[in-house]
Amino acid sequence: MRNTSMTLALFAIAMTGMVATAGASGEHSGGHGVANDADVERTISVEAGDMWFDPEDMSIAAGETVQFEITNNGHLEHEFVIGDKAAQEAHREMMQDMMGSSHHEGGHGGHGGHNMAEGEHGGQMPAVTIGAGETKTLIWTAPEKVERLEYACNIPGHYESGMYGTINL
Amino acid sequence: MSRSTIIRHPLSRRQVLKGSAALGLGSAAAMGLSPAWATPWGHSSVYSKGVEEGPEIALAIRREILPIDGKTASTFSINGTSPGPLIRLKEGQDAVLRVTNLLDEPTSIHWHGLILPPGMDGVPGVSFAGIAPGETFTYRIPVRQNGTYWYHSHSGLQEQVGHVGPLIIDAAEREPFRYDREHVLLLTDWTFEDPMSVFRNLKTMEGYYNFQERTIADFFADVRQNGLEQTAEMRGMWAKMRMSSRDIADVTGSTYTYLLNGHSPEENWTALFKAGERIRLRVINGSAMSYFDVRIPGLKMTVVAADGQPVQPVPVDEFRIGVAETYDVLVSPEDDQAYTIFAESMDRSGYARATLAPREGMQAEIPERRQIADRGMEAMSVHMDGMDHSGMSNMEGMDHSNMSASEMEAMGHGDMQGMDHSGMSDSEMQGMASERAKTRENGMLAAGEAQPGSRYGQAGIGINPDERRVLVYRDLKAFTPWPDRREPGRELELHLTGNMERYIWSFDGKKFSEVSGPIHFEKDERLRLILVNDTMMEHPIHLHGMWMELENGQGELIPRKHTLNVKPGERVSALITADAEGSWAFHCHLLYHMDAGMFRVVQVS
């Protein structure tokens, strides 16, 4: 994780002028789509493994506030990020760029924030990073006017190995 | 015990039919008909030469005239095809493989990468006596691993005439990736010459297959770039070594046709997919002598396994595959279009090609081949230690400002004390960083640390790392530590040596015929094998019967491999748990190097 602060700094520079601030690589507070405990209508348990999510798809009503409880049963660190396919891809490319080419050290360690657009309506990408063996929660309100989103792990190679699922709204 | 001398026709009717279908296949392709390997939707088109499912499999080896690249070829076929059928086993099975020799000479099959009893390893003179003409040998293999492997003859030069095939073991448990479809991509190098005459040519005339020697035009180009003095000096050094800086491979596209699943670039074997699918490509380099650089322009490939062992996923644009290595990659073509699978030989003298397409008959652009690279300082670094330096007094004063990072990293450090490093960036220095690696009290490096002199951050000669993202050994990282966590109890250093002029290849300067006995591993010891390449060529070094954990600097997550590529001048190391009692082959997997003497027996007792 030695790279985290440097990575975040780079990230912040890269994102200047786009979105105001990003939190650390863990849970974000505030911003669109992130609600608080009181609004939670139901809890959805998600298992994260190497390299998959279980379930691989779920249905959430537009406007519904849910709490994701994500347990990482894999050997590696994973993230759980919500956004549309294009935003996930942009986030993925950025993370790979930040880690440098595969020729440089850094591996799958530190990575930056997620203040990419969740969908067309803008705002941050709700995200949480879960270490191996950990359980983390994320409270999120589903947006209106979006039909389909993805939850994904964008640590380089993880999405490509199949670590994503579909949210039907 | 598992040997039978009863001569009977081992082919089932089904196999005979398949054999004749395979015979018809090439001619159908030649006539422009829909090729036989095109299967309707819903069926697997994993591999074009047929599949034999375990646990009980019968294989028959015979000499057979088959079409290759539309021409008549004298092959050694396995169940009627060359390369042979895909052998598919399941983890946990006890496989029984009956191999019948219908040749007029002895043969064998070695199951490359499998951990198995020593008597089942298939190396004549080491693990068994070989399979005599007319005999059937029964291999009994407890299958306790999974992944992408291959099999091939371990007798003489038979591998060169297509006595090879893919071997896949399906995992008992969920693998760390998911996919919708898979294809096997078996790379081989075919020659219409008799392999014995290839070997004779190599023995009698160095550079026989190298037509890419430097020309007078190159000389003037070098002078413009490097100045007269330095150019003359470099040329003089190569001349002293009786090599051309363009000897990238011994045997080249001047005799080889590079094949993918047995098909030439013109035949354009097609791997089918549907847009949106994730496809697992199991890439096997079953060549006798050829390294390949593999890419699929327009698609990112995510490397998920190396030598059959899962690795943390690495997204790349290209990877180099040494002889006998395997890599599993995932691709996700989103568009309904054709993509070229392009495997360029390392010396740029040719390529294998196939197409990944949603339908038969499609093709995409074939990339331009890159220029052959020159072996620069890289190849010379080791030789500067061993050679007479009197002719090189200018070395210290040389201006290195034009050197590339790879050349810089490649250099031996000892000779370069006077060098001016001021122009080097941090990344260029990374090859030297390994010297700061952790050392234990006994002076040995801690397990998993990269050796000084290793170049795991480089793909090797002819690759420009700035052009695209290329896999390097340092990227390979296991998911969890391998079971034996002990530090090595000792180090065993072996030098890869050769005499290009006489085409002698050896370990520690001794051919196999010159050594008095095997290399001894103490049963259950944990040791570090250090390989130092004193030659100017890459060597893929293969240990039978035990894994080599490649110390690529990934600490406790170092990957394990059955074949290690050692670049010219490089020093690499691997940890070995000597848990497999018996005699095992250990050799360079370049076929003619092995035959020339780069071979040893390792005895574990």
Side-chain angles (χ1 to χ4, degrees):
Chain A
M1 298 302 285
R2 188 178 57 76
N3 285 344
T4 306
S5 57
M6 187 193 71
T7 312
L8 281 173
L10 283 173
F11 178 76
I13 293 163
M15 297 307 292
T16 300
M18 196 171 155
V19 185
T21 52
S25 59
E27 300 87 338
H28 304 300
S29 55
H32 185 94
V34 181
N36 62 47
D37 296 18
D39 306 318
V40 171
E41 292 161 65
R42 63 174 164 136
T43 294
I44 300 173
S45 293
V46 178
E47 191 185 345
D50 304 329
M51 304 281 174
W52 42 267
F53 286 114
D54 187 19
E56 287 176 4
D57 55 78
M58 55 180 77
S59 295
I60 298 173
E64 187 183 5
T65 296
V66 296
Q67 171 174 275
F68 294 105
E69 192 177 271
I70 309 117
T71 301
N72 181 352
N73 289 327
H75 296 287
L76 311 177
E77 181 181 87
H78 293 298
E79 55 166 38
F80 179 89
V81 186
I82 300 172
D84 66 20
K85 199 175 167 83
Q88 298 282 14
E89 189 176 344
H91 176 44
R92 197 153 61 242
E93 278 166 17
M94 191 180 61
M95 282 186 71
Q96 182 148 13
D97 287 346
M98 286 189 311
M99 288 189 189
S101 75
S102 56
H103 305 165
H104 300 284
E105 60 183 274
H108 305 104
H111 57 282
H114 306 276
N115 49 352
M116 303 290 294
E118 166 192 303
E120 291 169 70
H121 61 293
Q124 296 185 351
M125 283 174 95
V128 63
T129 300
I130 318 111
E134 288 181 355
T135 298
K136 291 274 183 74
T137 56
L138 179 71
I139 298 170
W140 177 72
T141 302
E144 313 279 347
K145 293 177 189 167
V146 181
E147 276 183 16
R148 176 176 295 210
L149 291 172
E150 284 184 348
Y151 48 99
C153 174
N154 289 311
I155 294 171
H158 293 210
Y159 184 99
E160 293 88 336
S161 300
M163 198 162 180
Y164 58 86
T166 307
I167 303 175
N168 297 303
L169 294 156
Chain B
M1 67 190 178
S2 44
R3 179 175 281 264
S4 144
T5 48
I6 301 164
I7 302 171
R8 70 184 171 87
H9 208 286
L11 293 177
S12 68
R13 189 179 127 75
R14 188 174 62 86
Q15 286 166 333
V16 173
L17 286 173
K18 195 188 302 160
S20 45
L23 267 172
L25 176 158
S27 42
M31 289 186 293
L33 300 175
S34 175
W37 62 87
T39 55
W41 284 115
H43 291 84
S44 171
S45 58
V46 169
Y47 178 66
S48 57
K49 301 288 185 190
V51 181
E52 299 291 346
E53 297 253 6
E56 295 214 15
I57 289 173
L59 301 169
I61 319 297
R62 64 168 79 213
R63 185 178 284 279
E64 194 154 8
I65 304 297
L66 292 171
I68 289 180
D69 194 22
K71 296 190 265 293
T72 299
S74 177
T75 71
F76 278 12
S77 70
I78 302 152
N79 288 1
T81 75
S82 174
L86 164 62
I87 293 179
R88 187 138 215 161
L89 305 174
K90 285 195 175 69
E91 187 176 9
Q93 279 178 341
D94 291 316
V96 180
L97 301 123
R98 295 187 175 85
V99 180
T100 299
N101 182 359
L102 300 178
L103 303 167
D104 52 8
E105 59 182 276
T107 191
S108 57
I109 292 185
H110 164 60
W111 318 98
H112 191 112
L114 266 58
I115 302 301
L116 38 62
M120 299 293 135
D121 195 44
V123 182
V126 178
S127 28
F128 73 151
I131 310 172
E135 281 194 351
T136 297
F137 183 83
T138 303
Y139 291 89
R140 296 180 190 278
I141 302 174
V143 182
R144 302 294 180 263
Q145 64 195 96
N146 65 73
T148 303
Y149 305 93
W150 62 300
Y151 62 92
H152 59 84
S153 167
H154 224 290
S155 303
L157 302 175
Q158 292 177 359
E159 204 187 314
Q160 179 74 84
V161 284
H163 191 340
V164 301
L167 195 168
I168 289 172
I169 306 171
D170 290 315
E173 287 171 20
R174 185 174 190 167
E175 291 175 283
F177 44 86
R178 52 188 176 114
Y179 56 96
D180 307 302
R181 185 189 294 273
E182 64 177 342
H183 290 291
V184 170
L185 306 178
L186 173 65
L187 294 160
T188 54
D189 44 13
W190 173 262
T191 173
F192 289 94
E193 287 183 83
D194 176 0
M196 279 313 293
S197 82
V198 172
F199 193 58
R200 261 195 313 277
N201 291 337
L202 291 167
K203 272 276 188 198
T204 50
M205 201 174 147
E206 43 166 317
Y208 185 90
Y209 294 103
N210 285 293
F211 301 141
Q212 305 190 83
E213 308 274 313
R214 300 201 62 107
T215 62
I216 193 73
D218 291 329
F219 181 82
F220 287 115
D222 286 355
V223 169
R224 270 197 304 281
Q225 201 183 341
N226 303 325
L228 178 63
E229 192 183 348
Q230 198 185 328
T231 301
E233 186 174 20
M234 294 287 239
R235 293 217 162 191
M237 285 168 70
W238 282 110
K240 271 189 195 170
M241 291 183 286
R242 300 185 184 280
M243 273 190 78
S244 158
S245 59
R246 290 190 173 171
D247 286 349
I248 311 292
D250 301 336
V251 190
T252 69
S254 69
T255 186
Y256 278 149
T257 304
Y258 300 105
L259 305 179
L260 202 153
N261 291 350
H263 297 285
S264 68
E266 289 69 32
E267 287 177 319
N268 190 28
W269 182 70
T270 300
L272 294 174
F273 73 92
K274 282 182 187 160
E277 283 181 331
R278 188 168 26 256
I279 303 147
R280 177 187 196 167
L281 301 175
R282 299 176 180 264
V283 187
I284 301 163
N285 188 350
S287 293
M289 293 296 281
S290 310
Y291 280 50
F292 293 95
D293 293 314
V294 181
R295 64 191 150 118
I296 307 174
L299 292 181
K300 179 157 66 176
M301 303 182 285
T302 299
V303 178
V304 293
D307 287 6
Q309 303 301 292
V311 293
Q312 293 188 27
V314 191
V316 299
D317 300 314
E318 181 169 31
F319 62 92
R320 171 162 292 178
I321 184 165
V323 173
E325 289 186 311
T326 75
Y327 285 107
D328 289 42
V329 303
L330 300 176
V331 293
S332 300
E334 299 275 346
D335 300 317
D336 191 57
Q337 66 164 78
Y339 299 88
T340 297
I341 300 170
F342 191 63
E344 196 176 12
S345 74
M346 179 170 70
D347 70 329
R348 311 300 177 227
S349 65
Y351 59 87
R353 167 242 191 173
T355 295
L356 194 59
R359 290 173 297 283
E360 279 295 336
M362 296 176 76
Q363 56 178 314
E365 199 180 333
I366 299 176
E368 244 178 69
R369 267 148 64 188
R370 284 164 285 200
Q371 292 264 311
I372 187 170
D374 276 317
R375 292 209 190 271
M377 298 301 293
E378 174 187 82
M380 289 191 207
S381 60
V382 159
H383 281 257
M384 287 190 291
D385 293 333
M387 280 174 58
D388 174 12
H389 287 209
S390 58
M392 291 187 222
S393 52
N394 289 338
M395 275 315 278
E396 307 241 321
M398 268 172 59
D399 175 11
H400 292 128
S401 56
N402 289 328
M403 285 174 66
S404 72
S406 64
E407 287 166 331
M408 211 62 179
E409 277 191 60
M411 292 191 328
H413 310 312
D415 294 347
M416 297 295 163
Q417 296 307 326
M419 270 174 46
D420 175 12
H421 290 154
S422 56
M424 287 171 71
S425 72
D426 282 353
S427 65
E428 288 168 329
M429 293 294 283
Q430 61 180 277
M432 298 172 191
S434 55
E435 290 183 2
R436 295 193 297 269
K438 280 174 250 159
T439 309
R440 288 155 61 208
E441 284 164 17
N442 61 7
M444 278 159 55
L445 281 184
E449 293 289 329
Q451 289 283 320
S454 62
R455 303 200 305 274
Y456 302 125
Q458 295 171 26
I461 185 102
I463 291 274
N464 177 0
D466 300 327
E467 203 175 352
R468 52 181 77 91
R469 194 186 304 262
V470 184
L471 182 76
V472 295
Y473 267 3
R474 188 161 51 208
D475 293 330
L476 302 176
K477 203 172 170 186
F479 278 89
T480 51
W482 301 114
D484 191 347
R485 306 285 296 279
R486 288 177 294 167
E487 293 284 335
R490 67 171 174 124
E491 292 180 342
L492 172 66
E493 186 169 313
L494 280 176
H495 286 250
L496 319 184
T497 46
N499 179 326
M500 188 67 188
E501 194 184 359
R502 292 165 60 206
Y503 211 75
I504 291 171
W505 298 99
S506 54
F507 289 108
D508 283 348
K510 283 190 174 167
K511 293 192 292 181
F512 183 52
S513 58
E514 294 168 344
V515 297
S516 51
I519 295 168
H520 185 248
F521 290 180
E522 198 69 40
K523 173 80 167 79
D524 292 325
E525 76 166 322
R526 179 84 163 157
L527 79 154
R528 170 176 286 142
L529 175 67
I530 299 174
L531 299 170
V532 185
N533 187 350
D534 291 350
T535 78
M536 286 160 291
M537 310 198 85
E538 286 75 10
H539 298 281
I541 304 297
H542 174 43
L543 173 64
H544 292 222
M546 290 156 278
W547 290 109
M548 295 184 285
E549 295 168 29
L550 172 65
E551 294 186 289
N552 62 347
Q554 295 290 7
E556 60 180 23
L557 295 179
I558 54 177
R560 63 182 189 185
K561 296 189 91 264
H562 49 60
T563 308
L564 299 180
N565 174 35
V566 190
K567 298 188 277 285
E570 194 177 26
R571 179 186 172 91
V572 310
S573 71
L575 298 177
I576 296 167
T577 298
D579 56 0
E581 200 160 354
S583 292
W584 303 98
F586 173 76
H587 59 95
C588 173
H589 220 288
L590 297 177
L591 183 62
Y592 299 98
H593 288 194
M594 178 175 77
D595 210 58
M598 207 164 186
F599 184 99
R600 290 290 179 95
V601 173
V602 167
Q603 190 173 54
V604 182
S605 59

